[in-house]
Amino acid sequence: MLRDPSVKYRPFPQVDISDRTWPSKTITRAPRWLSTDMRDGNQALIDPMNAEKKQRFFDLLVKIGIKEIEVGFPSAGATEFDFIRSLVDRGAIPDDVMPQVLTQARADLIEKTFDSLDGAKQAVVHVYNAVSPAWRRIVFGLERPEIKGIAETAAKLLRDQAARRPNTDWRFEYSPETFSTAELDFSVECCEAVMDILQPTPDRPLILNLPATVEAASPNVYADQIEWFGRNISRRDSVIISVHPHNDRGTGVAAAELSIMAGADRVEGCLFGNGERTGNVDLVTLALNMYTQGVDPELDFSDINEVVQTVEYCNQIPVHPRHPYAGELVFTAFSGSHQDAIKKGFAAQAARNDQMWDVPYLPIDPADIGCSYEAVIRVNSQSGKGGVAWILEQDKGLKLPKRLQADFSRHVQEMADQTSRELNAADIWSAFQTAYHLNSPQPLRLIDYQEGAVTGGSRHFVGRISLDGQEHTVSGRGNGLMSSVLDGLREGVGIDLEIADYQEHAIGHGSDVQAAAYVECKGADGATWFGVGIDADVATASVKALLSAATSARAAAQARAKAPEPVQA
């Protein structure tokens, strides 16, 4: 790279429009949408779509609510022409969908283009010619009058070809291609010349498409160009200003949003931004950006996964895992601090009386576009206690107390470090069962028990337990069930614990409901031990939770006893 790029590249000139109004505007309604996936997007594929894929893509566009579809470039070859012709012959174009075809400004190509949609109920023929200085000088070797003459000749051909085919309601679109790098006054001059020939009216407007064929400036410059054009074009009520942003600078979505604020009526683009070079503007992102601002995009992405799968199949291009709204990982948090905020956000959302969405890190409710909450939080070595607790709550219905979350996260962290991979729900549940001795066989396990009252209001616990495979009977007294269980463990097994915290909750609803009990205990040496019990009976769940904590305390004592004596100096 050059140390001084200014010797090779010049900054793009600003537009002389000091009283611009678009910065104070907001987007309050959806534009008209035109999908060019089947033309511009198709041209960008290593292996262009065949008829089966084209039909599948067309059906998807209709399903999500796209009303204007550029179905192809019929003069490009037989595959394109035959598919477009088949849509007409089979009556496969819904009455409320406007098909569009593109052609260069040449007589033979324009005639063939009309042939492709002849007989359709309605259709748009889109003609273009490049107008910018670099194209005039380098590509064509022509001056301004000759370039404008190409546009005028094309407009006359559109008018005349349409007149010969009265059975179709023909509409027209003209693009001064390379608009973004052309002189604004010359773009207006070419468009005015086309309008003089086609004579648009408010009832039959002409679409004037202003492409950022090469995105050569920041989005605000494109917005200035659109506002300037809208102010200076005549018969504004008889034209539809359309924009066709490309993404060479990576700001195609921003350019489209600002151009709508600047007065554009219509946006041309592709689902997920497919298109030549760095692509066209991404209609999915653009539409869902509006949705998150409370604006109905008038497109249906309630099953975003189906849209992704169809586009990936037809285009043979994967949607990036971090693609806005649609990527596999866009709603997923691995970071502990992110997970904690999201978990608290969901809890707060459920507790509020209104429906307004306000969850940290999630600009849209994943459920609105058909995504489950299961993938919102996933666990790896970067995750924290909140993420682990979320997985257990979503997968098993367990609502771990905060201190138990912290205790269990140590176990998960060790597993993640050892495996060096993402941990799924099954991994986490297995680790939880092992950490709190929920899986059989267990070294200390409840077989059954009885409880009864004794004189003075105390409770009497008599239990049969399995200790290292051997059955034992323990009994104890206390002012309640749990204190009597601890007394029995102290007297019968030699495990001395006191309860520091106890919580319980129901899992599920109806006849299949179970109880989860969580206990935090202190040992005689001051150590803390956590226990978990799950059972259809809440009292039994609490006894199991105490045995779970006791098992951990006993295992630690045995480990200390086996440890070698420290070597004396």
Side-chain angles (χ1 to χ4, degrees):
M1 294 179 66
L2 300 173
R3 295 293 299 273
D4 180 11
S6 66
V7 302
K8 187 174 183 178
Y9 302 98
R10 64 178 65 91
F12 197 87
Q14 299 294 304
V15 178
D16 184 13
I17 180 171
S18 59
D19 59 342
R20 59 182 61 82
T21 63
W22 64 261
S24 62
K25 302 289 181 62
T26 57
I27 298 174
T28 57
R29 60 184 177 85
R32 289 171 52 172
W33 302 106
L34 181 283
S35 164
T36 188
D37 288 274
M38 300 180 68
R39 194 278 300 171
D40 203 337
N42 191 48
Q43 288 176 292
L45 302 178
I46 296 173
D47 296 312
M49 291 183 281
N50 58 22
E52 183 270 330
K53 288 181 177 179
K54 275 180 163 286
Q55 185 64 57
R56 186 164 173 176
F57 212 124
F58 181 82
D59 292 342
L60 172 69
L61 294 171
V62 171
K63 182 176 181 180
I64 64 177
I66 298 283
K67 300 302 183 184
E68 300 178 52
I69 302 173
E70 197 164 63
V71 290
F73 202 144
S75 63
T79 300
E80 292 282 288
F81 183 93
D82 292 345
F83 173 74
I84 297 167
R85 190 65 250 163
S86 74
L87 289 176
V88 178
D89 293 340
R90 292 183 289 113
I93 303 173
D95 288 346
D96 62 345
V97 171
M98 177 74 79
Q100 177 172 304
V101 284
L102 181 71
T103 179
Q104 294 167 309
R106 281 173 40 191
D108 57 330
L109 302 183
I110 290 175
E111 182 175 6
K112 188 175 184 66
T113 299
F114 272 88
D115 288 342
S116 71
L117 280 173
D118 190 13
K121 177 182 177 181
Q122 55 189 356
V124 173
V125 177
H126 176 192
V127 69
Y128 69 97
N129 68 303
V131 300
S132 67
W135 267 255
R136 297 196 308 260
R137 183 181 69 254
I138 299 170
V139 180
F140 303 119
L142 300 175
E143 298 299 326
R144 277 193 180 196
E146 297 165 297
I147 294 294
K148 186 173 76 170
I150 293 173
E152 291 172 322
T153 299
K156 292 173 183 176
L157 290 167
L158 294 185
R159 179 195 62 195
D160 296 344
Q161 287 289 337
R164 296 172 191 167
R165 297 170 168 85
N167 293 330
T168 297
D169 180 10
W170 298 103
R171 303 298 177 98
F172 307 118
E173 175 174 343
Y174 171 66
S175 288
E177 193 196 8
T178 65
F179 165 84
S180 57
T181 52
E183 307 94 335
L184 287 171
D185 64 326
F186 185 52
S187 292
V188 168
E189 184 179 339
C190 290
C191 290
E192 293 284 1
V194 170
M195 292 168 64
D196 288 342
I197 295 164
L198 295 178
Q199 290 296 308
T201 65
D203 292 334
R204 299 182 63 80
L206 171 66
I207 300 169
L208 294 177
N209 186 51
L210 309 178
T213 306
V214 178
E215 189 180 38
S218 51
N220 61 296
V221 174
Y222 189 53
D224 282 348
Q225 292 173 325
I226 300 304
E227 181 165 340
W228 193 98
F229 184 92
R231 292 185 185 186
N232 288 276
I233 194 74
S234 68
R235 293 170 279 184
R236 179 64 180 89
D237 62 346
S238 298
V239 299
I240 301 297
I241 294 181
S242 177
V243 292
H244 185 111
H246 276 256
N247 198 43
D248 300 86
R249 291 169 53 95
T251 56
V253 168
E257 291 178 327
L258 298 190
S259 70
I260 295 170
M261 294 160 58
D265 307 301
R266 181 176 184 263
V267 175
E268 299 189 352
C270 294
L271 303 183
F272 308 121
N274 181 39
E276 292 194 86
R277 305 185 314 280
T278 53
N280 291 12
V281 69
D282 176 355
L283 296 186
V284 175
T285 300
L286 192 57
L288 291 177
N289 280 356
M290 294 179 190
Y291 182 83
T292 66
Q293 303 304 300
V295 176
D296 179 7
E298 301 176 13
L299 298 178
D300 183 4
F301 292 115
S302 58
D303 189 352
I304 195 68
N305 291 323
E306 180 191 11
V307 178
V308 170
Q309 291 164 8
T310 301
V311 173
E312 287 185 330
Y313 168 75
C314 293
N315 287 348
Q316 294 297 292
I317 297 176
V319 172
H320 194 281
R322 299 292 181 188
H323 193 103
Y325 303 110
E328 180 186 0
L329 298 177
V330 293
F331 298 124
T332 300
F334 290 104
S335 161
S337 60
H338 289 208
Q339 292 173 343
D340 182 63
I342 291 170
K343 181 175 180 290
K344 291 175 180 175
F346 272 114
Q349 186 75 22
R352 282 201 301 273
N353 292 325
D354 63 81
Q355 293 183 341
M356 298 306 293
W357 182 253
D358 188 19
V359 175
Y361 294 113
L362 296 179
I364 190 173
D365 184 350
D368 285 358
I369 53 176
C371 298
S372 71
Y373 294 147
E374 293 179 5
V376 170
I377 290 176
R378 288 161 62 174
V379 173
N380 63 13
S381 61
Q382 305 299 306
S383 303
K385 63 181 185 297
V388 173
W390 166 269
I391 297 293
L392 284 173
E393 182 173 349
Q394 297 301 304
D395 190 51
K396 299 297 180 182
L398 300 179
K399 302 176 182 178
L400 307 189
K402 286 187 177 180
R403 288 175 57 81
L404 178 57
Q405 292 178 26
D407 183 74
F408 179 53
S409 69
R410 296 184 297 103
H411 298 273
V412 175
Q413 185 71 46
E414 291 173 3
M415 177 183 284
D417 288 339
Q418 290 170 1
T419 59
S420 298
R421 63 171 175 83
E422 179 188 351
L423 303 181
N424 58 34
D427 294 325
I428 293 170
W429 176 236
S430 176
F432 190 78
Q433 289 179 297
T434 300
Y436 302 107
H437 318 289
L438 300 179
N439 45 350
S440 296
Q442 305 165 30
L444 181 58
R445 180 172 56 85
L446 177 68
I447 299 175
D448 62 29
Y449 75 95
Q450 294 179 340
E451 180 197 7
V454 295
T455 305
S458 64
R459 312 295 292 181
H460 184 207
F461 169 82
V462 179
R464 290 167 54 225
I465 63 172
S466 173
L467 183 62
D468 296 329
Q470 300 294 317
E471 186 174 319
H472 295 263
T473 299
V474 297
S475 63
R477 287 182 171 80
N479 59 8
L481 172 62
M482 298 185 71
S483 60
S484 63
V485 172
L486 291 179
D487 183 58
L489 291 175
R490 187 180 303 111
E491 297 299 326
V493 186
I495 301 174
D496 189 5
L497 297 175
E498 292 183 356
I499 296 175
D501 184 54
Y502 172 79
Q503 297 184 39
E504 64 185 42
H505 67 80
I507 305 173
H509 302 279
S511 59
D512 294 331
V513 70
Q514 286 192 302
Y518 312 103
V519 65
E520 178 183 345
C521 294
K522 295 288 186 182
D525 59 356
T528 298
W529 307 105
F530 293 89
V532 178
I534 300 173
D535 196 87
D537 175 66
V538 65
T540 303
S542 65
V543 174
K544 289 182 175 180
L546 288 173
L547 293 181
S548 168
T551 300
S552 295
R554 179 173 179 267
Q558 290 175 333
R560 287 195 302 270
K562 293 179 181 179
E565 292 292 332
V567 177
Q568 298 295 323

